Amino acid sequence: MIPKVEDLKSDVLAHKHGDIFNPPGLTNFYGCTQADFDVLGIRSMNFPPFGCSEIITGGLFVDNCYFPATGTIVNHVWYPDHIERTAEYNGLSFRSTMVLPFGIMGTLVKLEVKNTSGAERRTEFKIRFQGSVTKAVRTWNDAFPPLETGHEITPDVNRHALIYRAKNSEAFQLQGVSCPVDKLDRFGVEFSRVIGAGETISLVYVNLVGENITTILAQYDRLIANADSVITSCHDEWNEEIKAAYTPGNDRFSGSMPVLETTDKEIKKIYDMGVFGVIYFKRDNPYSVLGRTYDTLMPRYWPSVTFIWDYALSSLTHALLDPAVAKKYLLHWMAMDIHKHFGTEYLTGGPVGPWYSVNDFAITGIAKDYLRWSGDKKWLTEEVAIKSGDTVTQKTVSEFLMKYADNWKGFKTRSGLADYGGINNLLECVSTYIHEVASLNAGNVFNMRTAAEILTHLGDTKRAAAMLDEASHLVPEINKLYVDGKGYWNTRFPDGELVEVRHCYDFITILNTIADDLTIKQKNEMFEYFKRELQSPTWMRALSAGDDNAIFSTRPDHQWNGAYPAWPAQAVTGLYKIGQGDLAFKWLKGLSKSTNQGPLGQAHFVESAIDPECGASRKGSPEMQYLCDWTVSSSGSWTNIIIQSIFGVNATMFDGISAKPDFGAFDPKAELKNLNYQGKLYNVTAKGLTEV
């Protein structure tokens, strides 16, 4: 039941230029490239520190017309290892296979053109190149990767290629094709072919970047000469990568994920895509000063950056799959001021962006997941060096976790709740979701209760009791934000004004942190609000369409027209926590259809906002008004549903593991195999947990 690349492929995504569509991307763990609307062209090829930004290149012209300009539908099918594009135009059938070869900073596309007109025909081809490479060994502190223009361009006639040399950095880019050409100039190549009826011709387009032109030329020659074997090698390598992720003791990850065995194809697909949604962000870039890292977005925005919030949303998957990296990240972030940035990047190891108010809550969640699954209790006494100018101080991990539990008091207002700042500290595109929000104050309750559990383990029961007492006193203050009878929450502004904000982040965070502190009436009202204003058949709204702030933005990750992919996942887990597993499971079957477009996007549109794709909510568009990347690492949040909600696994930090499955309509014979808890493997069925 370990998936292969064919099991994860997308449906056929048929689109032309101008459609609301986010073309698929690929990675080889060094960087990423995105397909274009073209049948051959690519865009956004970035392998940090070599940036090409969002530039489109490799554009195909047929009979003197740029292919996207023909209005032809291009069928995209994404696989983990390659992207297949097909199209029919003017008596010609086009098929391309795009891969990112392993161990190389570049892209290969093989194009096949078949004459289906029934008669011999002469066809004019042009392939246009654009050079944009730069080498930038610095913090990439912008959503858009860096680039250079005005390169020195050298034609390589023998290779049918152009060599671009950056003028302001040590960087080269080589683009060329395998076939003989009639013309090579600074724009690319041109050639004419007579294609017989039913005949197929082919070519290979290669685009490479790096700092050593001799190495790049050798790589180019090898790829051009062995394109078919390179494509096969990518397929085999990806199957091995996926297999390793589910294999205890593998040599590619420091941990492994349990295998889900079931006849339920929808639940199986969304679980495996949740696992894959983390694998696809693994970066073993040789220029990383941190070693292995996990990016947050791809293939277009913020390459080299890990957002603490997004990592936390998938922290259960990270803790199981690659706990050594989770531990490394935690120690790295503890040595920094997490109230001054939203994450870090791997070219310098330095901070990126403004403060995200969620950081204390996020790091506590990551630490708890690492501790409970790894059992690494000695980590709590490990010391972390903190540099401030020439001064170096030491704090233990446990001291940091206590600090994260107390940090909210530095933002405490006269109301008794923490004020978490303005729009850029929170959801970025909901202007009323600011200051005293219910969600992050509920997160403070979670932080203090987690800290109390750790203090109890360390023998400091007096301080643990004080933490629990503070947490219990914070809950009624949070409840003062509740809109009685409505099921949603207010925010409180600095002048004391209460403003209704019908956002899902309150719904999901409160249910996943303090559900047991809510009254039955509150739970029922929240459930009814969710069904009435947020839920859709295959997705959800992040913000109710009835909220006054719905006119503020059209970004679908946090607004009325869609939702970030972790939000429906966390909504499902929250529904299970309040005894609504039957509805949650039925909804989950619909949600799973969104994986027919490949890994879940940075956002998906709710069906009433944009027409569905492949029977489910369409991925958010990268265009400026929507600004969504093709996929995001918080896709890993979907494994929580299967492991903790359906199979009911309760993995504690210090008190062992148990399971209370809640299968409902799920496959009664399903089994979760080789779940690794603190060095021991367990299988879980509808009957419960057994050690292997």
Side-chain angles (χ1 to χ4, degrees), residues 607-672:
E607 303 90 331
S608 59
I610 300 293
D611 289 342
E613 174 103 50
C614 303
S617 57
R618 186 187 299 255
K619 280 195 180 199
S621 167
E623 300 307 320
M624 189 56 67
Q625 70 184 106
Y626 304 121
L627 207 64
C628 289
D629 218 336
W630 175 70
T631 188
V632 65
S633 68
S634 60
S635 298
S637 60
W638 292 81
T639 66
N640 300 33
I641 299 167
I642 284 77
I643 296 172
Q644 297 186 149
S645 299
I646 296 176
F647 281 90
V649 174
N650 179 26
T652 71
M653 288 189 287
F654 311 114
D655 297 319
I657 186 171
S658 60
K660 188 178 180 181
D662 187 359
F663 272 29
F666 184 49
D667 171 18
K669 295 183 179 180
E671 188 168 3
L672 199 61

Side-chain angles (χ1 to χ4, degrees), residues 108-134:
L108 179 152
V109 185
K110 179 180 178 181
L111 176 67
E112 298 169 281
V113 184
K114 182 177 181 179
N115 180 358
T116 57
S117 68
E120 181 181 273
R121 60 165 294 173
R122 176 176 291 277
T123 306
E124 304 291 333
F125 296 97
K126 290 193 294 188
I127 301 173
R128 287 329 199 190
F129 307 149
Q130 293 193 87
S132 56
V133 71
T134 190

Side-chain angles (χ1 to χ4, degrees), residues 169-208:
S169 63
E170 290 298 317
F172 293 90
Q173 185 173 15
L174 174 62
Q175 299 185 62
V177 296
S178 61
C179 63
V181 301
D182 302 323
K183 182 179 180 181
L184 173 67
D185 61 22
R186 66 188 183 92
F187 298 110
V189 299
E190 298 181 25
F191 55 95
S192 175
R193 292 290 184 273
V194 175
I195 311 174
E199 181 186 358
T200 299
I201 64 168
S202 66
L203 63 88
V204 176
Y205 163 66
V206 170
N207 188 335
L208 300 170

Side-chain angles (χ1 to χ4, degrees), residues 389-438:
D390 296 329
T391 305
V392 178
T393 57
Q394 301 279 342
K395 274 189 179 181
T396 65
V397 167
S398 63
E399 287 176 310
F400 272 104
L401 295 176
M402 299 309 112
K403 181 175 179 287
Y404 299 144
D406 276 336
N407 275 341
W408 70 276
K409 296 172 188 175
F411 309 108
K412 189 176 180 180
T413 70
R414 287 179 297 176
S415 73
L417 297 180
D419 183 325
Y420 280 109
I423 187 171
N424 289 328
N425 304 126
L426 290 149
L427 296 175
E428 297 178 344
C429 49
V430 183
S431 65
T432 51
Y433 199 78
I434 53 179
H435 298 301
E436 295 178 40
V437 294

